[in-house]
């Protein structure tokens, strides 16, 4: 396979040791493979059983179809924001949530970088344009929270724009709630070694290689910067009306099941089967910065 990224080998300081990682090397280093699942304090030693996952997911997807019928009948609206570091599992979680929903009223919004016209608008404007009408379920694959993470870390906004965003966003989201929209904010959290492993997996899977970009590799040495911005974002924008729901996502299966359970448990739709939904795993899902030990 041809070289994908120039300067793909990077030196990373992890646990006080300098490690060299070359995403183009087909062999995943042992120091990554051995610690990927447990990285970031993940509470389980093994992934969730695949057969049990598929059986449970199907039951939850049946409930999602019921919830969509309820939305269409009542005119209720849902927004779900999916955020997290690169390779945290946002796209897969969205896919699992939307798989059997009617695409006419269950939309995914994944905006590219703003146009010249959009850069001259109110920052939130292009997102508001994609908000749901009556009966719709809109999922944002990244959102206005770009300004709380990638933009300040990579220098795509000014310090003043960043500070303004942290101050203004709780007020913006209060308007969303006041409007009567069911509003979910999900942060998918992964450990450092797990992120590296997933980057490597993407590089060497011909079906997923498109997901890996030079910016992903550039971000590897900015882990601490992203962590600092994540912590500030959670503390500044976690509110009673618009809380952050955190999912430990080193195991995508557990994360997806608990994410969907949270949506279904929150919505008061007709015909809800609480047994099929099951209980959320308090070791995997929690609320706000304290769940990640952020003071």
């Amino acid at each position: 396979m041809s070289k994908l990224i120039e300067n793909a080998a990077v030196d990373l300081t992890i646990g006080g040791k300098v490690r060299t990682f070359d995403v183009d090397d087909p062999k995943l280093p042992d120091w990554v493979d051995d610690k990927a699942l447990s990285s970031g304090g993940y509470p389980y030693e093994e992934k969730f059983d695949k057969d049990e996952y598929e059986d449970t997911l199907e039951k939850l997807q049946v409930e999602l179809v019921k919830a969509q019928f309820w939305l269409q009948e009542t005119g209720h609206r849902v927004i779900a924001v999916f955020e997290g570091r690169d390779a945290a599992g946002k796209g897969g979680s969205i896919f699992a949530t939307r798989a059997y929903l009617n695409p006419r009223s269950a939309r995914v919004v994944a905006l590219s970088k703003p146009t010249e016209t959009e850069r001259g608008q109110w920052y939130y404007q292009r997102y508001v344009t994609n908000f749901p009408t009556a009966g719709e379920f809109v999922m944002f694959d990244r959102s206005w929270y770009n300004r709380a993470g990638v933009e300040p870390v990579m220098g795509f906004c000014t310090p003043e724009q960043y500070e303004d965003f942290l101050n203004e966003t709780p007020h913006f989201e209060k308007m969303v709630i006041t409007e009567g929209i069911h509003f979910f904010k999900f942060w998918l959290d992964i450990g450092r070694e797990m992120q590296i492993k997933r980057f490597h997996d993407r590089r060497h899977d011909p079906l997923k290689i498109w997901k890996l970009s030079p910016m992903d590799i550039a971000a590897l040495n900015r882990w601490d910067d992203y962590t600092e911005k994540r912590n500030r974002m959670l503390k500044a924008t976690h509110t009673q009306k618009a809380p952050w729901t955190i999912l430990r996502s080193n195991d995508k299966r557990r994360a997806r099941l608990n994410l969907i359970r949270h949506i279904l448990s929150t919505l008061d739709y007709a015909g809800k089967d609480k047994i099929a939904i099951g209980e959320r795993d308090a070791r995997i899902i929690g609320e706000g910065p304290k769940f990640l030990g952020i003071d």
Side-chain angles (χ1 to χ4, degrees), residues 64-276:
L64 283 168
V65 171
K66 292 181 188 178
Q68 186 178 39
F69 276 123
W70 172 75
L71 291 176
Q72 293 169 339
E73 290 169 0
T74 62
H76 283 274
R77 295 162 290 171
V78 174
I79 292 175
V81 166
F82 292 74
E83 291 287 348
R85 299 180 194 263
D86 292 321
K90 299 179 291 296
S93 296
I94 291 170
F95 181 83
T97 304
R98 184 174 178 260
Y100 294 100
L101 298 181
N102 184 339
R104 293 181 179 177
S105 57
R107 295 188 285 115
V108 178
V109 177
L111 301 182
S112 59
K113 65 180 183 179
T115 65
E116 186 66 30
T117 297
E118 289 171 336
R119 284 195 290 271
Q121 296 173 344
W122 179 47
Y123 176 71
Y124 304 95
Q125 186 167 336
R126 70 190 192 123
Y127 298 103
V128 173
T129 301
N130 288 281
F131 275 20
T133 189
E136 279 195 316
F137 186 162
V138 174
M139 289 155 270
F140 280 90
D141 187 350
R142 293 196 181 278
S143 67
W144 46 96
Y145 280 100
N146 282 331
R147 182 143 291 178
V150 63
E151 288 190 19
V153 170
M154 304 304 291
F156 297 153
C157 70
T158 67
E160 292 77 16
Q161 288 172 325
Y162 169 63
E163 295 296 338
D164 286 345
F165 175 85
L166 293 180
N167 291 326
E168 293 169 3
T169 295
H171 303 291
F172 168 67
E173 293 177 350
K174 183 179 179 181
M175 289 190 290
V176 176
I177 300 299
T178 302
E179 176 61 18
I181 296 172
H182 301 279
F183 184 41
F184 300 92
K185 298 191 300 189
F186 295 113
W187 176 265
L188 279 64
D189 202 71
I190 56 170
R192 194 172 190 186
E193 286 86 353
M194 179 55 76
Q195 185 188 53
I196 294 170
K197 181 181 185 303
R198 289 181 183 173
F199 282 169
H200 188 269
D201 290 345
R202 289 177 176 184
R203 170 64 183 99
H204 299 282
D205 184 338
L207 297 177
K208 296 180 180 179
I209 194 169
W210 62 272
K211 292 184 175 184
L212 188 68
S213 72
M215 188 176 293
D216 293 330
I217 303 304
L220 283 173
N221 270 317
R222 293 178 169 86
W223 178 269
D224 291 341
D225 290 341
Y226 273 106
T227 299
E228 189 269 333
K229 294 299 186 293
R230 177 203 66 183
N231 295 354
R232 280 207 67 192
M233 177 196 76
L234 292 177
K235 289 193 288 186
T237 63
H238 175 69
T239 65
Q240 183 178 5
K241 295 290 186 180
W244 277 103
T245 299
I246 315 296
L247 292 129
R248 298 189 186 277
S249 302
N250 282 1
D251 178 5
K252 295 178 182 179
R253 296 169 188 165
R254 285 191 176 91
R256 292 169 187 170
L257 295 179
N258 282 280
L259 186 152
I260 296 172
R261 281 180 177 132
H262 181 72
I263 293 173
L264 294 170
S265 297
T266 304
L267 297 177
D268 190 21
Y269 61 93
K272 180 185 292 191
D273 185 341
K274 293 183 179 180
I275 295 176

Side-chain angles (χ1 to χ4, degrees), residues 22-37:
D22 186 349
V23 73
D24 281 330
D25 187 340
K27 185 181 185 305
L28 182 67
D30 291 341
W31 60 267
V32 177
D33 200 27
D34 292 345
K35 294 186 177 181
L37 186 61

